[in-house]
Amino acid sequence: MNTPLRSFRVAAAGLDVLHQTRLKLACSMLLAERMDVQLIPWSGEADLLVIGLDHADAARTLSEANASNVPMLSIARRYADAAPGRLPHGATVRDINEQLSSLLLTAPAAVAERPAPGVPKLLRLAQMRAGADLHLLQRGGISALVDTRTRSIALPASLTLAELVAQLDDSTWSSEVIDAATFQHQYTYRLPQRHSFEALYFALARYRPELLPALDSQPTLKLRHWPDLHADDVPANWLLAIACLHARPWQPAALATACHLPPNTVESLFCAAVASGLALNQEAAVPSPTRRKDASDSRFFSWVARRFGLTLFQGGQ
């Protein structure tokens, strides 16, 4: 399994054109280490500040960074040798890259996410029922496309749904409307993966359930059809619960008891079903989770297990 893609903001201040260019190249090389770095001008906040101490305004910037407790990489002619957090003037791309990798992994901001208030931009677009069809989202070196007409998202080949949902609430995402011709000519080869909104919402249920719209009540529901999910996207202990919801209506508490799942896990499944439009509300639920299994149930659940490479009901044999 790939290491999750980590995101950082690196600010630059007081660098000449040569070092600014080398810093940009060094940041882009960090993608090979699963680190997505956004290079920004210094504005008082960042995960790391790269500063040229030979600049006339360096003292003021240093004071601001120290007051905000921002880690720094300084570059100056006064340094004869490289050391952690500092480089001599003329530092190579490789020198800068190695320092960035080391400093970012130990920066305090690398440990804690910065949640942004409100509904993430991608989810707001996914909830749209009208308007333009194609919305291109970009943040740093990451791009994604929301297609409201086909209710799907397009991603780069190197980006998984798990990595995407981990970064949805970053406030630096930008979006623009593009037409079909622009997407076909400029982005089809960059964004070859297609995932349905169903897959997106069930990925949220697994990795970021707090981003799903909460349920107003404890509904009784059934799935319209089997969710559009790849085997790798479904935890093994979810299969029976999804199969039950596909077969007949359930209430959350009854399903949690029947499938031996935590109530919050079942609630996340219900939230994903409702948000994705898969939920069929029902008047009555299955009366008892201990109902006798008949032959048709066993055949259906065994078919589900075979589809995902598992074997169910072993304990009862």
Side-chain angles (χ1 to χ4, degrees), residues 116-139:
V119 179
K121 190 185 295 287
L122 187 147
L123 296 184
R124 292 201 303 270
L125 295 173
Q127 294 165 5
M128 291 177 59
R129 300 299 179 186
D133 292 333
L134 302 177
H135 301 264
L136 181 67
L137 289 94
Q138 294 179 304
R139 190 191 63 72

PDB file of all heavy atoms in Angstrom, residues 116-139:
ATOM      1  N   ALA A 116     -10.579  23.124   7.685  1.00  0.00           N
ATOM      2  CA  ALA A 116     -11.202  24.366   7.237  1.00  0.00           C
ATOM      3  C   ALA A 116     -12.685  24.316   7.545  1.00  0.00           C
ATOM      4  O   ALA A 116     -13.309  23.272   7.450  1.00  0.00           O
ATOM      5  CB  ALA A 116     -10.988  24.549   5.730  1.00  0.00           C
ATOM      6  N   PRO A 117     -13.264  25.465   7.944  1.00  0.00           N
ATOM      7  CA  PRO A 117     -14.679  25.456   8.295  1.00  0.00           C
ATOM      8  C   PRO A 117     -15.552  25.233   7.072  1.00  0.00           C
ATOM      9  O   PRO A 117     -15.193  25.570   5.953  1.00  0.00           O
ATOM     10  CB  PRO A 117     -14.890  26.862   8.881  1.00  0.00           C
ATOM     11  CG  PRO A 117     -13.815  27.708   8.265  1.00  0.00           C
ATOM     12  CD  PRO A 117     -12.645  26.791   8.060  1.00  0.00           C
ATOM     13  N   GLY A 118     -16.737  24.673   7.327  1.00  0.00           N
ATOM     14  CA  GLY A 118     -17.706  24.510   6.252  1.00  0.00           C
ATOM     15  C   GLY A 118     -17.501  23.245   5.450  1.00  0.00           C
ATOM     16  O   GLY A 118     -16.629  22.428   5.715  1.00  0.00           O
ATOM     17  N   VAL A 119     -18.336  23.098   4.431  1.00  0.00           N
ATOM     18  CA  VAL A 119     -18.298  21.922   3.558  1.00  0.00           C
ATOM     19  C   VAL A 119     -17.167  22.086   2.549  1.00  0.00           C
ATOM     20  O   VAL A 119     -17.047  23.135   1.915  1.00  0.00           O
ATOM     21  CB  VAL A 119     -19.646  21.751   2.835  1.00  0.00           C
ATOM     22  CG1 VAL A 119     -19.608  20.543   1.908  1.00  0.00           C
ATOM     23  CG2 VAL A 119     -20.779  21.620   3.844  1.00  0.00           C
ATOM     24  N   PRO A 120     -16.299  21.085   2.367  1.00  0.00           N
ATOM     25  CA  PRO A 120     -15.217  21.196   1.382  1.00  0.00           C
ATOM     26  C   PRO A 120     -15.740  21.503  -0.019  1.00  0.00           C
ATOM     27  O   PRO A 120     -16.842  21.099  -0.391  1.00  0.00           O
ATOM     28  CB  PRO A 120     -14.557  19.812   1.437  1.00  0.00           C
ATOM     29  CG  PRO A 120     -14.846  19.310   2.804  1.00  0.00           C
ATOM     30  CD  PRO A 120     -16.218  19.827   3.137  1.00  0.00           C
ATOM     31  N   LYS A 121     -14.912  22.196  -0.782  1.00  0.00           N
ATOM     32  CA  LYS A 121     -15.314  22.657  -2.113  1.00  0.00           C
ATOM     33  C   LYS A 121     -15.760  21.506  -3.012  1.00  0.00           C
ATOM     34  O   LYS A 121     -16.780  21.597  -3.700  1.00  0.00           O
ATOM     35  CB  LYS A 121     -14.141  23.414  -2.760  1.00  0.00           C
ATOM     36  CG  LYS A 121     -14.494  24.158  -4.047  1.00  0.00           C
ATOM     37  CD  LYS A 121     -13.246  24.772  -4.666  1.00  0.00           C
ATOM     38  CE  LYS A 121     -12.652  25.842  -3.784  1.00  0.00           C
ATOM     39  NZ  LYS A 121     -13.470  27.086  -3.773  1.00  0.00           N
ATOM     40  N   LEU A 122     -15.018  20.405  -3.019  1.00  0.00           N
ATOM     41  CA  LEU A 122     -15.376  19.289  -3.891  1.00  0.00           C
ATOM     42  C   LEU A 122     -16.745  18.723  -3.540  1.00  0.00           C
ATOM     43  O   LEU A 122     -17.540  18.390  -4.419  1.00  0.00           O
ATOM     44  CB  LEU A 122     -14.311  18.196  -3.817  1.00  0.00           C
ATOM     45  CG  LEU A 122     -14.465  17.028  -4.800  1.00  0.00           C
ATOM     46  CD1 LEU A 122     -13.105  16.498  -5.225  1.00  0.00           C
ATOM     47  CD2 LEU A 122     -15.278  15.886  -4.210  1.00  0.00           C
ATOM     48  N   LEU A 123     -17.042  18.638  -2.234  1.00  0.00           N
ATOM     49  CA  LEU A 123     -18.335  18.095  -1.828  1.00  0.00           C
ATOM     50  C   LEU A 123     -19.473  19.051  -2.154  1.00  0.00           C
ATOM     51  O   LEU A 123     -20.588  18.617  -2.476  1.00  0.00           O
ATOM     52  CB  LEU A 123     -18.324  17.768  -0.338  1.00  0.00           C
ATOM     53  CG  LEU A 123     -17.339  16.678   0.088  1.00  0.00           C
ATOM     54  CD1 LEU A 123     -17.495  16.365   1.564  1.00  0.00           C
ATOM     55  CD2 LEU A 123     -17.539  15.410  -0.737  1.00  0.00           C
ATOM     56  N   ARG A 124     -19.217  20.347  -2.073  1.00  0.00           N
ATOM     57  CA  ARG A 124     -20.254  21.311  -2.485  1.00  0.00           C
ATOM     58  C   ARG A 124     -20.587  21.131  -3.960  1.00  0.00           C
ATOM     59  O   ARG A 124     -21.756  21.185  -4.360  1.00  0.00           O
ATOM     60  CB  ARG A 124     -19.790  22.738  -2.211  1.00  0.00           C
ATOM     61  CG  ARG A 124     -19.677  23.096  -0.744  1.00  0.00           C
ATOM     62  CD  ARG A 124     -19.723  24.603  -0.539  1.00  0.00           C
ATOM     63  NE  ARG A 124     -18.692  25.308  -1.281  1.00  0.00           N
ATOM     64  CZ  ARG A 124     -17.483  25.563  -0.803  1.00  0.00           C
ATOM     65  NH1 ARG A 124     -17.147  25.150   0.421  1.00  0.00           N
ATOM     66  NH2 ARG A 124     -16.595  26.233  -1.523  1.00  0.00           N
ATOM     67  N   LEU A 125     -19.561  20.917  -4.779  1.00  0.00           N
ATOM     68  CA  LEU A 125     -19.798  20.708  -6.209  1.00  0.00           C
ATOM     69  C   LEU A 125     -20.532  19.388  -6.453  1.00  0.00           C
ATOM     70  O   LEU A 125     -21.405  19.304  -7.317  1.00  0.00           O
ATOM     71  CB  LEU A 125     -18.469  20.721  -6.962  1.00  0.00           C
ATOM     72  CG  LEU A 125     -17.709  22.053  -6.965  1.00  0.00           C
ATOM     73  CD1 LEU A 125     -16.332  21.892  -7.605  1.00  0.00           C
ATOM     74  CD2 LEU A 125     -18.504  23.124  -7.702  1.00  0.00           C
ATOM     75  N   ALA A 126     -20.178  18.354  -5.682  1.00  0.00           N
ATOM     76  CA  ALA A 126     -20.822  17.054  -5.856  1.00  0.00           C
ATOM     77  C   ALA A 126     -22.299  17.107  -5.488  1.00  0.00           C
ATOM     78  O   ALA A 126     -23.099  16.308  -5.983  1.00  0.00           O
ATOM     79  CB  ALA A 126     -20.113  15.999  -5.007  1.00  0.00           C
ATOM     80  N   GLN A 127     -22.681  18.044  -4.640  1.00  0.00           N
ATOM     81  CA  GLN A 127     -24.071  18.177  -4.227  1.00  0.00           C
ATOM     82  C   GLN A 127     -24.899  19.037  -5.173  1.00  0.00           C
ATOM     83  O   GLN A 127     -26.115  19.150  -5.007  1.00  0.00           O
ATOM     84  CB  GLN A 127     -24.130  18.764  -2.811  1.00  0.00           C
ATOM     85  CG  GLN A 127     -23.562  17.839  -1.745  1.00  0.00           C
ATOM     86  CD  GLN A 127     -23.286  18.543  -0.440  1.00  0.00           C
ATOM     87  OE1 GLN A 127     -23.597  19.728  -0.261  1.00  0.00           O
ATOM     88  NE2 GLN A 127     -22.686  17.823   0.505  1.00  0.00           N
ATOM     89  N   MET A 128     -24.248  19.647  -6.165  1.00  0.00           N
ATOM     90  CA  MET A 128     -24.978  20.494  -7.108  1.00  0.00           C
ATOM     91  C   MET A 128     -25.911  19.669  -7.979  1.00  0.00           C
ATOM     92  O   MET A 128     -25.562  18.578  -8.425  1.00  0.00           O
ATOM     93  CB  MET A 128     -24.005  21.276  -7.999  1.00  0.00           C
ATOM     94  CG  MET A 128     -23.209  22.345  -7.277  1.00  0.00           C
ATOM     95  SD  MET A 128     -22.018  23.163  -8.370  1.00  0.00           S
ATOM     96  CE  MET A 128     -23.105  23.818  -9.631  1.00  0.00           C
ATOM     97  N   ARG A 129     -27.083  20.192  -8.226  1.00  0.00           N
ATOM     98  CA  ARG A 129     -28.056  19.509  -9.081  1.00  0.00           C
ATOM     99  C   ARG A 129     -28.199  20.174 -10.440  1.00  0.00           C
ATOM    100  O   ARG A 129     -28.840  19.651 -11.333  1.00  0.00           O
ATOM    101  CB  ARG A 129     -29.431  19.491  -8.388  1.00  0.00           C
ATOM    102  CG  ARG A 129     -29.429  18.768  -7.051  1.00  0.00           C
ATOM    103  CD  ARG A 129     -29.045  17.322  -7.213  1.00  0.00           C
ATOM    104  NE  ARG A 129     -29.008  16.617  -5.941  1.00  0.00           N
ATOM    105  CZ  ARG A 129     -28.582  15.378  -5.802  1.00  0.00           C
ATOM    106  NH1 ARG A 129     -28.141  14.702  -6.843  1.00  0.00           N
ATOM    107  NH2 ARG A 129     -28.575  14.803  -4.613  1.00  0.00           N
ATOM    108  N   ALA A 130     -27.635  21.354 -10.609  1.00  0.00           N
ATOM    109  CA  ALA A 130     -27.753  22.073 -11.886  1.00  0.00           C
ATOM    110  C   ALA A 130     -26.491  22.908 -12.074  1.00  0.00           C
ATOM    111  O   ALA A 130     -25.663  23.045 -11.177  1.00  0.00           O
ATOM    112  CB  ALA A 130     -28.990  22.958 -11.894  1.00  0.00           C
ATOM    113  N   GLY A 131     -26.362  23.489 -13.267  1.00  0.00           N
ATOM    114  CA  GLY A 131     -25.229  24.349 -13.547  1.00  0.00           C
ATOM    115  C   GLY A 131     -24.238  23.686 -14.480  1.00  0.00           C
ATOM    116  O   GLY A 131     -24.540  22.698 -15.150  1.00  0.00           O
ATOM    117  N   ALA A 132     -23.023  24.247 -14.519  1.00  0.00           N
ATOM    118  CA  ALA A 132     -21.995  23.759 -15.426  1.00  0.00           C
ATOM    119  C   ALA A 132     -21.619  22.321 -15.087  1.00  0.00           C
ATOM    120  O   ALA A 132     -21.693  21.893 -13.945  1.00  0.00           O
ATOM    121  CB  ALA A 132     -20.765  24.667 -15.346  1.00  0.00           C
ATOM    122  N   ASP A 133     -21.217  21.585 -16.103  1.00  0.00           N
ATOM    123  CA  ASP A 133     -20.966  20.159 -15.925  1.00  0.00           C
ATOM    124  C   ASP A 133     -19.589  19.833 -15.369  1.00  0.00           C
ATOM    125  O   ASP A 133     -19.435  18.925 -14.565  1.00  0.00           O
ATOM    126  CB  ASP A 133     -21.144  19.423 -17.258  1.00  0.00           C
ATOM    127  CG  ASP A 133     -22.584  19.414 -17.726  1.00  0.00           C
ATOM    128  OD1 ASP A 133     -23.467  19.488 -16.857  1.00  0.00           O
ATOM    129  OD2 ASP A 133     -22.799  19.321 -18.935  1.00  0.00           O
ATOM    130  N   LEU A 134     -18.566  20.546 -15.810  1.00  0.00           N
ATOM    131  CA  LEU A 134     -17.187  20.176 -15.491  1.00  0.00           C
ATOM    132  C   LEU A 134     -16.515  21.249 -14.635  1.00  0.00           C
ATOM    133  O   LEU A 134     -16.440  22.411 -15.032  1.00  0.00           O
ATOM    134  CB  LEU A 134     -16.378  19.966 -16.770  1.00  0.00           C
ATOM    135  CG  LEU A 134     -16.917  18.902 -17.739  1.00  0.00           C
ATOM    136  CD1 LEU A 134     -16.062  18.856 -18.995  1.00  0.00           C
ATOM    137  CD2 LEU A 134     -16.961  17.537 -17.069  1.00  0.00           C
ATOM    138  N   HIS A 135     -16.018  20.849 -13.456  1.00  0.00           N
ATOM    139  CA  HIS A 135     -15.336  21.769 -12.552  1.00  0.00           C
ATOM    140  C   HIS A 135     -13.944  21.214 -12.277  1.00  0.00           C
ATOM    141  O   HIS A 135     -13.801  20.116 -11.724  1.00  0.00           O
ATOM    142  CB  HIS A 135     -16.103  21.901 -11.236  1.00  0.00           C
ATOM    143  CG  HIS A 135     -17.504  22.390 -11.396  1.00  0.00           C
ATOM    144  ND1 HIS A 135     -17.854  23.719 -11.250  1.00  0.00           N
ATOM    145  CD2 HIS A 135     -18.648  21.727 -11.703  1.00  0.00           C
ATOM    146  CE1 HIS A 135     -19.149  23.848 -11.448  1.00  0.00           C
ATOM    147  NE2 HIS A 135     -19.660  22.666 -11.732  1.00  0.00           N
ATOM    148  N   LEU A 136     -12.925  21.962 -12.661  1.00  0.00           N
ATOM    149  CA  LEU A 136     -11.542  21.552 -12.444  1.00  0.00           C
ATOM    150  C   LEU A 136     -11.059  22.125 -11.122  1.00  0.00           C
ATOM    151  O   LEU A 136     -11.113  23.337 -10.896  1.00  0.00           O
ATOM    152  CB  LEU A 136     -10.651  22.057 -13.585  1.00  0.00           C
ATOM    153  CG  LEU A 136      -9.169  21.682 -13.491  1.00  0.00           C
ATOM    154  CD1 LEU A 136      -8.979  20.187 -13.663  1.00  0.00           C
ATOM    155  CD2 LEU A 136      -8.354  22.451 -14.521  1.00  0.00           C
ATOM    156  N   LEU A 137     -10.607  21.257 -10.230  1.00  0.00           N
ATOM    157  CA  LEU A 137     -10.073  21.677  -8.938  1.00  0.00           C
ATOM    158  C   LEU A 137      -8.571  21.457  -8.920  1.00  0.00           C
ATOM    159  O   LEU A 137      -8.083  20.429  -9.406  1.00  0.00           O
ATOM    160  CB  LEU A 137     -10.720  20.890  -7.792  1.00  0.00           C
ATOM    161  CG  LEU A 137     -12.177  21.226  -7.489  1.00  0.00           C
ATOM    162  CD1 LEU A 137     -13.096  20.269  -8.245  1.00  0.00           C
ATOM    163  CD2 LEU A 137     -12.454  21.158  -6.003  1.00  0.00           C
ATOM    164  N   GLN A 138      -7.858  22.402  -8.335  1.00  0.00           N
ATOM    165  CA  GLN A 138      -6.403  22.305  -8.265  1.00  0.00           C
ATOM    166  C   GLN A 138      -5.906  22.816  -6.918  1.00  0.00           C
ATOM    167  O   GLN A 138      -6.455  23.768  -6.355  1.00  0.00           O
ATOM    168  CB  GLN A 138      -5.749  23.102  -9.397  1.00  0.00           C
ATOM    169  CG  GLN A 138      -6.042  22.535 -10.783  1.00  0.00           C
ATOM    170  CD  GLN A 138      -5.402  23.355 -11.893  1.00  0.00           C
ATOM    171  OE1 GLN A 138      -5.632  24.548 -12.000  1.00  0.00           O
ATOM    172  NE2 GLN A 138      -4.598  22.689 -12.720  1.00  0.00           N
ATOM    173  N   ARG A 139      -4.881  22.144  -6.412  1.00  0.00           N
ATOM    174  CA  ARG A 139      -4.200  22.591  -5.202  1.00  0.00           C
ATOM    175  C   ARG A 139      -2.777  22.080  -5.251  1.00  0.00           C
ATOM    176  O   ARG A 139      -2.539  20.878  -5.284  1.00  0.00           O
ATOM    177  CB  ARG A 139      -4.877  22.064  -3.935  1.00  0.00           C
ATOM    178  CG  ARG A 139      -4.321  22.711  -2.665  1.00  0.00           C
ATOM    179  CD  ARG A 139      -4.799  22.013  -1.420  1.00  0.00           C
ATOM    180  NE  ARG A 139      -4.326  20.632  -1.373  1.00  0.00           N
ATOM    181  CZ  ARG A 139      -3.071  20.277  -1.149  1.00  0.00           C
ATOM    182  NH1 ARG A 139      -2.148  21.206  -0.961  1.00  0.00           N
ATOM    183  NH2 ARG A 139      -2.718  19.011  -1.120  1.00  0.00           N
TER     184      ARG A 139
END
